[in-house]
Amino acid sequence: MTEGFGETVLRLADITVRFGPVTANEGVSLELRRGEVVALLGENGAGKTTLMNVLFGLYAADEGSVELFGQSLPPGNPRAALEAGVGMVHQHFTLAENLTVLDNIALGTRSLWSPVSGTRALRARVRALAEEYGLRVDPDATVANLTVGQRQRVEILKALVRDARILILDEPTAVLTPQESLDLFATLRRAVANGLSILFISHKLHEVEAVSDRVVVLRHGRVVAEAATAQTSRAEMARLMVGADIAAPAPRPARPGPVRVALRDVTTPARGTATGLRGVSMELRAGQVTGLVGVSGNGQTALAGLIAGLERPERGTLEIDGKTPAVWTPRTAVRAGIGRIPEDRHGEGTVGDFDLTENAMMELYSRWPFSRAGWIDRTSARAWAQKIIKRYDVRCPGPEAPIRLLSGGNMQKLILGRVMETAPDVILANQPVRGLDIGALTYVHEQLLAARDRGAAILLISEDLDEVIALSDVIHVLSEGRLSPGFERGTMTPTELGAWMTGAGFEDAA
Amino acid sequence: MSELFDILLSASFWAAAIRIASPLIFAAMGELICERAGVLNLGIEGIMVVGAFAGWMAVYSGMGLWPGVAVALASGMAFGLLHATLTVPFGLSQHVVGLGITLLATSATYYAYRIALPQVNTPPKIDAFDPYAIPGLSDLPLVGEALFTQTPLTYAAFVTAALVAFVLFRTPLGLAIRACGENPAAVAAQGLPVTGLRMGAVIVGSGLMAVGGAFLTMSAFDSFFFEMVNGRGWICIALVVFGAWRPGKTLLGAVLFAAFDALQIRLQQTELGAVLPYQAFLAAPYILSILALVVMSRRAQVPAALMVPFRKGER
């Protein structure tokens, strides 16, 4: 199955990992050969990340063994994995943002007790590797000022500087623009040509198809299939990954209604590292999903804040149902019929230590029947929470349980229910499916489309281009605070949208 | 007004400022190391009291001056070990632990003092550090007297600041310490010991704080009083913020604060002293410090993981 590649560099044998009663990996075996790209495919919670953490020595396996270049690896020791030549690019980057690129790369390359840092030699080496692998990045830049794509390059350089022979990439394209993804694939091809081996973790099937030589599918912690990429298909991989045929929601054609929210040439100030909006005009119509894509940090926070009532225009006007509100705060936004699914469900969407009842009535507590003559009516509140729990299938111990005990998907279902049950005219859905598995994700998407068909105006903000393309009737791209024109469904390819995301579309249009 | 210029141009004024700055430099460098590693050490005030007592007591019981400094250092490190154990591996609230250490250290000192000197009303004096004029340099006009006719412990304070700056910014160890204060997960991902680095930083930092305290009893004065630390620890915490967590700027801040302090003492003796109540002069350095802090620290880069405990495997 793996002819044409070199010797086996990595062998995982019968790995089993348990966290208390939960089995994350069960009897997983995997081989990687020199010069080979193996894709590890699976849903959220399938055990991909756990397996990689075992390989990297962050977790110790309960059973089974890891063999690198024919040597068995002592468990639970990241240092040993590093020294054996394993480089890992985590999904959440492990960079210190206030330090420079060079400092981040230098960390751990020399003995702590070495009297000198050896930065000069390292800088030259970083430049040479960056040149060789097409990883453009300024070694003296502060990481906080880099884009997500550049940060990923720093992570890969970190591995290359340490003479990694095996690269593990955990969902590397989740946060990249299509162009950045293509650059990454080019880098990976050069690495493979130099004899490195790559384990590529993803759930994006077209990428797996594009870069990998072999696919290993994990489901519920077990290997359910293994095949040469050339001998399988996307549909086959999707079926193996989920364990059943899945149908993405197929939206009916939209019937756009009146304009609910309009921005006219709106500019907002930059806040800290968050970009403000620069002369943005857009309309959110009833019965229509307006999608917004862009690399994070290009003004999404400002736009979402504007519609949620957290931000006011510095210049330009915001109109709700044709009128400019005199006062614009989160409270007036809720009163105006704007339902909000915030980006950060732990930080802004919920209060972790409050129970489900309190979280369910958080935006409504001051209204009848939850507030009667200034007193909270727990009975009505609990009934409301129970209704949401039942109708939106929130798996929880009960309405009195603190919400932090819930999984991300169930927490999001509660937020979704809380918004949907008030039948809002406008729904602000900011990264509504981030971190959710395919079941919860499909459910959230179906609910949003149902709300659209009922006549709600929906603004969908996401970094996932595929998600936005699938759901939106009109797509805008945000880049450095500027907004592209609205593109109708089906008129733009991901690559064309990607050009707008990098700002190129704006220059061509200008 | 001319009196003000006379004061500012006198060598004795600057000599006093440098002397007053010395304990602040030691303690602020200690705090800076702790905070760079991600641990706020509010035990500083109490640790300075311990250091002041331990160094003085060691000399009083017959040890030499430098061994006395070593005893102070060790006493601070012991309390640092306690602080580090509670805040780093146990991950307890750094505010509560720090204030607890300050209370414990102050009371323990009082207790030790009473045990050691049960019958004494006036604390005994020791032979403190004498000023040492550095040959050549001390003959320079103005700066000779201001900078180079100080006690060896003052010279040590400046050397310490330079050493801290070098280690933090020029060695792999310093990089690892700073990374612990920015993103400990990045340090752990390199297989480096976050817990060990943070504990080490807190222990060494606490040792320096204690030496700062010892400066008061062994160099600035020659005896021990309970009120002598008098909020200097808290000032050092502000100085670290003022210096934007950089050793050079922090040292500058310490000298600036000390200069204000030296100035107010002298201004009290001018005709201004007859007009304004003396409390206004005493408050002046603090008010000026707050103003300077407001101006200077607006763009300061706080260590991102300051006060964030690190537990392996958690995000």
Side-chain angles (χ1 to χ4, degrees):
Chain A
M1 197 187 299
T2 54
E3 282 96 38
F5 296 104
E7 70 284 6
T8 301
V9 290
L10 165 72
R11 181 174 284 131
L12 293 172
D14 289 319
I15 298 284
T16 298
V17 183
R18 295 187 198 91
F19 297 109
V22 184
T23 305
N25 287 141
E26 196 172 342
V28 174
S29 299
L30 185 75
E31 270 189 29
L32 182 66
R33 288 164 182 267
R34 190 178 141 91
E36 190 184 26
V37 182
V38 170
L40 194 60
L41 203 58
E43 282 199 89
N44 279 328
K48 294 171 294 185
T49 304
T50 306
L51 189 65
M52 289 311 100
N53 283 335
V54 168
L55 162 52
F56 195 61
L58 289 171
Y59 300 153
D62 295 300
E63 286 163 34
S65 64
V66 181
E67 220 175 78
L68 280 169
F69 305 99
Q71 304 277 311
S72 102
L73 190 75
N77 181 359
R79 194 88 222 164
L82 271 171
E83 276 160 15
V86 177
M88 184 156 180
V89 178
H90 294 266
Q91 194 177 352
H92 304 271
F93 300 148
T94 50
L95 296 173
E97 293 197 1
N98 293 334
L99 303 184
T100 65
V101 169
L102 203 60
D103 277 348
N104 270 288
I105 295 175
L107 181 63
T109 51
R110 271 175 174 262
S111 153
L112 283 182
W113 307 112
S114 156
V116 287
S117 56
T119 350
R120 191 165 305 168
L122 188 67
R123 183 182 283 115
R125 188 158 146 67
V126 167
R127 279 195 206 282
L129 283 169
E131 185 70 26
E132 186 182 351
Y133 286 90
L135 296 161
R136 268 169 298 107
V137 63
D138 173 14
D140 296 305
T142 303
V143 170
N145 299 331
L146 300 184
T147 64
V148 178
Q150 289 171 324
R151 289 179 199 203
Q152 187 175 63
R153 287 178 216 151
V154 177
E155 286 282 15
I156 296 174
L157 280 170
K158 258 165 81 173
L160 294 175
V161 161
R162 286 163 176 74
D163 294 319
R165 304 307 299 155
I166 299 173
L167 271 183
I168 307 173
L169 300 147
D170 192 359
E171 307 246 350
T173 59
V175 290
L176 300 184
T177 63
Q179 273 78 3
E180 284 176 326
S181 298
L182 292 178
D183 290 346
L184 171 68
F185 297 157
T187 298
L188 297 186
R189 272 189 282 272
R190 282 184 224 190
V192 170
N194 283 353
L196 273 77
S197 309
I198 293 170
L199 253 179
F200 184 91
I201 305 173
S202 183
H203 56 232
K204 290 190 183 171
L205 301 170
H206 61 268
E207 290 175 353
V208 168
E209 207 168 39
V211 296
S212 70
D213 302 307
R214 192 155 52 93
V215 192
V216 174
V217 184
L218 276 186
R219 191 167 75 231
H220 302 314
R222 299 172 193 232
V223 175
V224 292
E226 191 176 341
T229 312
Q231 285 158 19
T232 181
S233 69
R234 282 194 213 179
E236 173 76 6
M237 287 191 271
R239 200 183 56 72
L240 288 168
M241 197 163 85
V242 183
D245 288 308
I246 44 155
R252 289 169 290 281
R255 284 174 286 119
V259 175
R260 290 288 187 199
V261 178
L263 308 184
R264 310 243 183 259
D265 203 18
V266 171
T267 296
T268 63
R271 305 241 179 253
T273 55
T275 315
L277 300 177
R278 290 156 55 194
V280 166
S281 298
M282 80 185 301
E283 289 179 340
L284 303 182
R285 286 177 179 275
Q288 182 173 282
V289 175
T290 307
L292 188 77
V293 287
V295 180
S296 78
N298 273 282
Q300 289 94 330
T301 310
L303 185 60
L306 193 66
I307 290 168
L310 292 162
E311 181 75 77
R312 274 164 292 280
E314 193 175 55
R315 275 188 285 115
T317 54
L318 167 74
E319 289 171 15
I320 307 293
D321 291 326
K323 290 189 285 288
T324 302
V327 187
W328 192 238
T329 64
R331 200 181 175 95
T332 51
V334 171
R335 291 248 163 94
I338 294 177
R340 302 167 303 167
I341 301 173
E343 177 179 11
D344 178 1
R345 68 182 76 101
H346 300 275
E348 287 179 24
T350 57
V351 179
D353 284 319
F354 280 17
D355 63 25
L356 271 77
T357 304
E358 287 163 321
N359 275 294
M361 65 161 185
M362 206 170 261
E363 291 182 333
L364 305 167
Y365 71 93
S366 62
R367 292 195 219 167
W368 195 87
F370 306 117
S371 166
R372 291 177 200 260
W375 298 89
I376 295 272
D377 182 359
R378 286 289 298 192
T379 317
S380 325
R382 200 176 303 117
W384 168 256
Q386 259 154 352
K387 189 164 111 187
I388 293 174
I389 291 169
K390 203 163 159 221
R391 202 169 278 180
Y392 294 86
D393 188 30
V394 182
R395 310 268 168 83
C396 64
E400 258 80 54
I403 200 161
R404 64 178 157 77
L405 299 180
L406 271 56
S407 72
N410 284 307
M411 208 182 267
Q412 195 71 336
K413 282 182 189 170
L414 185 98
I415 294 173
L416 187 76
R418 170 173 95 186
V419 170
M420 293 300 181
E421 282 299 296
T422 59
D425 296 330
V426 180
I427 296 172
L428 167 66
N430 196 352
Q431 314 281 2
V433 299
R434 181 186 277 171
L436 303 192
D437 64 34
I438 204 153
L441 174 149
T442 313
Y443 183 79
V444 171
H445 284 168
E446 277 166 5
Q447 289 291 325
L448 287 174
L449 287 174
R452 182 201 77 165
D453 292 341
R454 172 177 64 66
I458 297 174
L459 176 63
L460 171 68
I461 304 178
S462 177
E463 281 162 22
D464 187 340
L465 208 47
D466 300 336
E467 178 191 9
V468 174
I469 289 174
L471 289 188
S472 312
D473 302 307
V474 176
I475 299 177
H476 289 276
V477 184
L478 203 51
S479 172
E480 292 172 17
R482 298 168 300 179
L483 193 75
S484 75
F487 306 114
E488 296 283 328
R489 178 187 290 275
T491 57
M492 294 291 268
T493 64
T495 318
E496 287 170 317
L497 288 172
W500 283 88
M501 285 163 80
T502 55
F506 292 89
E507 271 82 68
D508 296 345
Chain B
M1 220 49 213
S2 67
E3 273 175 297
L4 182 65
F5 286 119
D6 287 346
I7 294 172
L8 289 180
L9 287 173
S10 74
S12 69
F13 163 75
W14 286 106
I18 297 294
R19 190 173 62 240
I20 296 169
S22 301
L24 301 178
I25 293 170
F26 275 121
M29 288 305 139
E31 183 68 32
L32 188 143
I33 296 173
C34 296
E35 293 193 17
R36 273 289 185 173
V39 182
L40 177 74
N41 191 343
L42 292 182
I44 184 170
E45 181 80 8
I47 293 171
M48 286 182 81
V49 176
V50 168
F53 173 77
W56 168 78
M57 198 66 220
V59 176
Y60 176 70
S61 19
M63 288 174 101
L65 282 167
W66 288 110
V69 172
V71 168
L73 183 80
S75 70
M77 289 171 86
F79 278 91
L81 175 65
L82 180 61
H83 187 291
T85 308
L86 294 174
T87 54
V88 182
F90 294 166
L92 302 182
S93 159
Q94 297 180 4
H95 289 111
V96 175
V97 169
L99 293 175
I101 295 276
T102 284
L103 292 174
L104 174 70
T106 313
S107 320
T109 307
Y110 191 76
Y111 184 70
Y113 180 84
R114 278 296 155 219
I115 296 282
L117 303 163
Q119 309 290 322
V120 176
N121 287 325
T122 324
K125 290 179 187 295
I126 58 167
D127 282 326
F129 279 103
D130 284 322
Y132 172 77
I134 296 180
L137 290 174
S138 58
D139 298 332
L140 295 171
L142 194 63
V143 290
E145 191 188 334
L147 287 176
F148 301 111
T149 318
Q150 300 279 1
T151 68
L153 217 45
T154 292
Y155 304 134
F158 282 82
V159 171
T160 300
L163 208 64
V164 168
F166 179 82
V167 171
L168 277 181
F169 292 93
R170 291 276 181 275
T171 67
L173 177 66
L175 175 61
I177 290 173
R178 286 185 291 134
C180 278
E182 296 290 348
N183 184 0
V187 180
Q190 295 309 321
L192 298 174
V194 175
T195 307
L197 283 162
R198 281 190 160 176
M199 286 187 73
V202 172
I203 292 168
V204 171
S206 301
L208 288 183
M209 293 169 191
V211 174
F215 183 93
L216 299 171
T217 48
M218 300 172 68
S219 182
F221 306 100
D222 51 8
S223 186
F224 175 81
F225 305 95
F226 274 101
E227 297 76 25
M228 76 193 315
V229 173
N230 193 22
R232 281 181 175 85
W234 310 134
I235 287 293
C236 288
I237 288 182
L239 285 175
V240 173
V241 181
F242 174 86
W245 290 270
R246 302 193 77 89
K249 282 190 186 171
T250 302
L251 179 135
L252 213 68
V255 173
L256 198 68
F257 176 83
F260 284 145
D261 204 18
L263 186 64
Q264 62 88 10
I265 297 167
R266 283 163 178 72
L267 282 180
Q268 278 190 55
Q269 283 132 32
T270 66
E271 60 221 39
L272 213 60
V275 190
L276 285 171
Y278 75 93
Q279 288 92 341
F281 290 98
L282 288 176
Y286 296 92
I287 293 169
L288 287 169
S289 303
I290 289 169
L291 290 178
L293 197 61
V294 169
V295 176
M296 289 285 290
S297 62
R298 290 183 70 173
R299 281 180 301 143
Q301 196 68 263
V302 189
L306 181 61
M307 293 189 279
V308 184
F310 178 71
R311 293 185 189 90
K312 213 172 174 177
E314 266 183 27
R315 285 207 183 101

